[in-house]
Amino acid sequence: QDIVIVDNLVESFGLQLSNGVPILEFTGAADDAELLKIIPLMEEISRADDVRSVLKEKFRLEEVCGLDRKDVEAYFATAE
């Protein structure tokens, strides 16, 4: 409920889709501002009792991926 995962690969969120904040890949450009763009979101979730409720509503990653947690767990269990 207190953990946020910021990454450009949704796969990095693995079994914690509700904790994920997707961003664009860092290319090394001096004008890269992706982390600056999420400051308002970070401020919002810092006030939340459970970051997952805010992130679920904002990004809807479970819906986008078409998976619920049990489906993701089953996928990773069979991939080993």
Side-chain angles (χ1 to χ4, degrees), residues 1 18 45 48-59:
Q1 73 188 20
S18 300
I45 62 176
D49 292 330
D50 189 336
V51 301
R52 297 170 296 188
S53 60
V54 175
L55 297 177
K56 278 183 182 181
E57 184 176 322
K58 174 83 173 164
F59 297 111

Side-chain angles (χ1 to χ4, degrees), residues 30-80:
D31 62 344
D32 184 283
E34 285 306 302
L35 292 177
L36 296 175
K37 292 177 185 177
I38 64 169
I39 289 173
L41 173 64
M42 293 296 137
E43 290 172 342
E44 178 184 354
I45 62 176
S46 72
R47 296 184 293 273
D49 292 330
D50 189 336
V51 301
R52 297 170 296 188
S53 60
V54 175
L55 297 177
K56 278 183 182 181
E57 184 176 322
K58 174 83 173 164
F59 297 111
R60 303 169 108 54
L61 291 176
E62 289 90 351
E63 292 175 32
V64 171
C65 293
L67 300 171
D68 63 23
R69 183 177 173 89
K70 289 180 184 176
D71 292 334
V72 174
E73 289 173 347
Y75 171 81
F76 283 105
T78 59
E80 295 176 351

Side-chain angles (χ1 to χ4, degrees), residues 10-26:
V10 175
E11 295 89 356
S12 298
F13 310 151
L15 299 176
Q16 296 83 28
L17 287 174
S18 300
N19 295 81
V21 175
I23 61 170
L24 295 177
E25 180 177 347
F26 176 66

